[in-house]
Amino acid sequence: MKILDTKFVQGFIKMADDGYRQGWHERNGGNLSYRLRTEEAESIKPRMNFRDEWFPIGTSVPGLAGEFFLVTGSGKYFRNIIVDPEVCIAIIELDEAGENYRICWGLVEGGRPTSELASHLMNHEVKKDVTGGAHRVIYHAHTTNIIALTYILPLDDRTFTRELWEMATECPVVFPDGVGVVEWMVPGGRDIAVETSRLMKKYNAVIWAHHGMFCSGEDFDTTFGLMHTIEKSAEILLKVLAVSPVKRQTITAQNFRDLAVGFGLTLPEEFLYEK
Ligand code: 2HA
Ligand code: ZN
């Protein structure tokens, strides 16, 4: 089967285009990665073009040794992924130490994997471990409303989680663990990757102050849906704050406890503080 026609490549392209249409991927903003299943990697091996040159990842991810990833290319525009995927995305293989990668497909006009490769792979390593291998997608987007909120809310997990939960009843159902927040840091390196992956042990979504958000999930739909839900919640909160700095009424801590019973959820008490 042609690599481009596989279900996972098609799902990746659709998700990238969905994100572009949301307005989250100006210019080369954002990046996406998918950890291939063993069967998927096996099925396309005859069609891969293993390049001889290995490059350092910039960090060490021994938990992902020998795995294959579909990733967006550094400097590539999400807008162009659906137009010319083989130029914009790549499949990479990691070496047996989890320290180097090589390109096996894609980026046909040259280039490298996403500038946030270290963050993507460190998040994958954590999520593979804590979900028993279930999570396969890591997505970074420049979500407008979440970015705006990082200028006005205190940059802590407690405040962001509670405020976002309050903006729509389904929010705690979609992200019951809450969201993590990373204060402003230089993107593209190991330090921000270490901090983000530390929070990914606890959360499926991590906000980067004044920059955007990272989400993790089992498949393209749930990961995109998580990003979309959180970003919409941020949009509602900004609208509320724009009209009135105080809320006349809201979903209360007790309402959340009742919701948890009704939906069979576990909502951490740290987010159900009295205001
Ligand atoms: O430009 O989003 O964080 C790609 C990015 C870097
Ligand atoms: Zn970014």
Side-chain angles (χ1 to χ4, degrees):
M1 190 177 200
K2 282 188 193 157
I3 292 178
L4 257 185
D5 293 340
T6 58
K7 198 164 170 241
F8 72 92
V9 173
Q10 287 300 313
F12 186 101
I13 294 170
K14 174 180 176 288
M15 175 162 166
D17 197 53
D18 287 345
Y20 170 73
R21 288 163 189 254
Q22 290 294 328
W24 302 337
H25 299 288
E26 73 292 341
R27 204 172 179 277
N28 61 321
N31 22 77
L32 175 62
S33 63
Y34 170 75
R35 185 168 59 84
L36 272 67
R37 294 173 189 281
T38 314
E39 321 82 83
E40 288 166 337
E42 281 303 320
S43 74
I44 58 170
K45 264 191 186 148
R47 287 178 184 255
M48 285 201 275
N49 163 25
F50 292 90
R51 305 200 191 151
D52 292 334
E53 216 176 340
W54 292 85
F55 300 97
I57 294 165
T59 189
S60 174
V61 283
L64 302 175
E67 294 224 45
F68 289 82
F69 293 84
L70 177 58
V71 298
T72 48
S74 177
K76 304 298 183 193
Y77 290 24
F78 266 54
R79 171 69 187 96
N80 293 335
I81 291 177
I82 199 162
V83 177
D84 198 345
E86 286 168 291
V87 166
C88 299
I89 64 180
I91 294 174
I92 59 169
E93 178 187 19
L94 305 197
D95 68 5
E96 287 308 320
E99 288 181 356
N100 300 283
Y101 72 85
R102 64 174 170 175
I103 297 172
C104 322
W105 177 83
L107 287 174
V108 292
E109 291 181 356
R112 294 285 176 83
T114 165
S115 60
E116 303 292 0
L117 189 64
S119 276
H120 278 259
L121 294 179
M122 290 188 81
N123 289 340
H124 274 293
E125 188 181 41
V126 162
K127 282 307 195 182
K128 181 184 170 190
D129 182 37
V130 299
T131 69
H135 277 209
R136 296 192 169 271
V137 181
I138 299 288
Y139 181 32
H140 169 56
H142 293 176
T143 41
T144 316
N145 296 287
I146 280 288
I147 296 171
L149 276 184
T150 65
Y151 291 88
I152 53 176
L153 291 187
L155 295 175
D156 62 71
D157 308 2
R158 255 173 121 240
T159 307
F160 267 83
T161 298
R162 179 63 177 274
E163 291 296 326
L164 292 168
W165 277 2
E166 281 183 36
M167 288 305 110
T169 298
E170 297 262 305
C171 282
V173 181
V174 178
F175 50 104
D177 300 329
V179 296
V181 182
V182 175
E183 290 193 3
W184 188 89
M185 290 180 78
V186 177
R190 188 170 180 277
D191 291 350
I192 197 166
V194 168
E195 190 55 20
T196 309
S197 60
R198 188 180 65 76
L199 290 170
M200 278 287 183
K201 288 188 183 137
K202 185 169 174 192
Y203 304 112
N204 290 331
V206 175
I207 293 165
W208 279 5
H210 321 323
H211 185 143
M213 192 168 17
F214 265 86
C215 286
S216 171
E218 295 188 6
D219 55 32
F220 298 120
D221 279 348
T222 53
T223 313
F224 187 85
L226 177 61
M227 185 77 77
H228 201 184
T229 304
I230 296 173
E231 171 61 3
K232 178 163 178 179
S233 178
E235 182 181 352
I236 299 168
L237 182 54
L238 281 176
K239 287 185 199 239
V240 170
L241 292 171
V243 174
S244 162
V246 281
K247 300 172 208 153
R248 182 187 287 263
Q249 58 268 321
T250 188
I251 306 171
T252 65
Q254 188 54 47
N255 291 155
F256 285 125
R257 290 193 187 95
D258 295 344
L259 186 74
V261 173
F263 278 74
L265 300 171
T266 307
L267 298 179
E269 275 294 320
E270 66 177 299
F271 302 128
L272 300 179
Y273 49 90
E274 289 307 321
K275 289 176 144 183

